[in-house]
Amino acid sequence: MPNHHPSKNPFTIDTEPFYLETGDEIRMFDAAASARLPVMLKGPTGCGKTRFVEHMAFRLKRPLITVACHEDLFASDLIGRYLLKNEETVWVDGPLTRAVRMGAICYLDEVVEARKDTTVVIHPLTDNRRTLSIDKKGEVIQAHPDFLMVISYNPGYQSVLKDIKQSTRQRFVALAFDYPDPEDESRIVAVEGKVDSDMAARLVTLAGKIRNIKEYGLTEGASTRLLIYAASLIRMGVAFKSACTAALCQPLTDDDRLQETLNDLIDDLL
């Protein structure tokens, strides 16, 4: 996890998060930020989208405010609300408003999980207006020049009910993410999981086999994040099979038939 200095802005990342570039995403994000264009990251769960945003916040020296979206996320959760404090009603900015005022990167993680009427509030911030309306205060805030809106979602979870409206999608520059190639992914697992390169390569090989059977019933393939979890367990002395079962097989599915298939894949690497 990135480290934060207590005497500084609590949203500032002071230690560079490890991120291994797999294409030209850093250059594209740099260009978008310079042009004040909102950015949409699309890709499977656990492939590095959030780490990329943390890395870019450090690189651009901008505060980062992250919101984990969910179906009960209301506009007031983003913008702010009046609260009773010391028998007095005071306004408290929400994360989006704080980001707009201070010139931070506001990252809405898994934005498709949020209510549709909630995401509409970002529209004026993602076009040439760059404004945020606070209806309860009768205030319209002009975004700080360094403010940047970033959203992410997993295309694999898209459905009629959970999709990004075209009116929202067409306000963003989009960067597509996927799992890294085996060599890069092995390096990431070795560094993040703190295991040797041979063990990291074994885990990545297993992930490749799991991803190849995705069409047989798995909703998602094994993510890079789960590989790092498995590596961390192994580093703590857990046996390879037990670590893979706990960090890969069990989180991926509850189906007994698929569990058996996944265990067979692990056995092949023993």
Side-chain angles (χ1 to χ4, degrees):
M1 290 290 293
N3 294 324
H4 302 276
H5 196 286
S7 66
K8 295 183 179 180
N9 186 323
F11 302 108
T12 299
I13 298 174
D14 297 312
T15 303
E16 182 175 8
F18 175 76
Y19 179 77
L20 191 62
E21 187 173 22
T22 59
D24 65 347
E25 63 269 25
I26 290 178
R27 182 179 65 83
M28 291 296 294
F29 194 100
D30 270 334
S34 297
R36 298 177 186 170
L37 300 176
V39 180
M40 175 168 60
L41 311 179
K42 41 195 284 191
T45 299
C47 70
K49 299 187 296 295
T50 298
R51 177 57 63 89
F52 172 69
V53 177
E54 293 172 346
H55 178 82
M56 294 309 300
F58 173 85
R59 183 185 178 94
L60 295 172
K61 296 180 172 58
R62 297 190 193 182
L64 173 64
I65 297 179
T66 299
V67 179
C69 295
H70 53 84
E71 60 187 9
D72 292 324
L73 184 74
F74 289 89
S76 58
D77 295 318
L78 293 176
I79 296 173
R81 53 171 60 91
Y82 283 104
L83 296 175
L84 190 63
K85 190 174 183 180
N86 298 327
E87 298 184 2
E88 186 180 6
T89 302
V90 296
W91 174 263
V92 178
D93 281 344
L96 177 60
T97 305
R98 286 198 295 271
V100 167
R101 293 191 197 276
M102 77 169 69
I105 295 173
C106 183
Y107 176 45
L108 303 185
D109 188 19
E110 295 298 345
V111 70
V112 293
E113 299 293 338
R115 297 161 55 98
K116 294 290 186 289
D117 55 346
T118 298
T119 53
V120 169
V121 304
I122 70 174
H123 283 188
L125 285 167
T126 52
D127 57 29
N128 61 307
R129 290 172 289 177
R130 285 176 60 83
T131 58
L132 177 65
S133 297
I134 304 180
D135 295 337
K136 291 180 180 178
K137 294 182 69 182
E139 181 182 2
V140 178
I141 307 172
Q142 186 66 47
H144 186 288
D146 288 340
F147 170 76
L148 183 64
M149 174 62 68
V150 181
I151 64 175
S152 72
Y153 76 101
N154 179 355
Y157 286 162
Q158 282 193 141
S159 68
V160 175
L161 296 176
K162 287 191 175 182
D163 194 5
I164 301 179
K165 293 163 58 173
Q166 283 294 329
S167 59
T168 301
R169 295 174 70 97
Q170 294 197 31
R171 295 170 181 272
F172 289 83
V173 171
L175 301 179
F177 284 72
D178 204 343
Y179 302 123
D181 65 45
E183 185 177 343
D184 287 341
E185 191 166 32
S186 294
R187 183 181 168 197
I188 292 167
V189 173
V191 171
E192 295 285 301
K194 297 181 175 59
V195 294
D196 61 49
S197 56
D198 288 343
M199 179 58 70
R202 283 177 72 191
L203 289 168
V204 170
T205 298
L206 175 60
K209 292 177 180 294
I210 293 174
R211 291 165 191 165
N212 286 337
I213 66 164
K214 183 182 170 185
E215 62 268 23
Y216 293 102
L218 283 180
T219 306
E220 282 277 310
S223 68
T224 306
R225 179 191 297 127
L226 289 184
L227 296 183
I228 293 168
Y229 287 176
S232 299
L233 291 176
I234 291 168
R235 186 182 79 247
M236 299 307 295
V238 177
F240 180 84
K241 182 170 184 176
S242 297
C244 291
T245 299
L248 295 172
C249 300
Q250 294 295 339
L252 284 175
T253 181
D254 294 322
D255 184 276
D256 290 338
R257 180 182 56 83
L258 283 171
Q259 286 283 353
E260 186 176 337
T261 300
L262 293 176
N263 280 314
D264 288 342
L265 295 178
I266 296 172
D267 290 339
D268 289 342
L269 291 172
L270 293 177

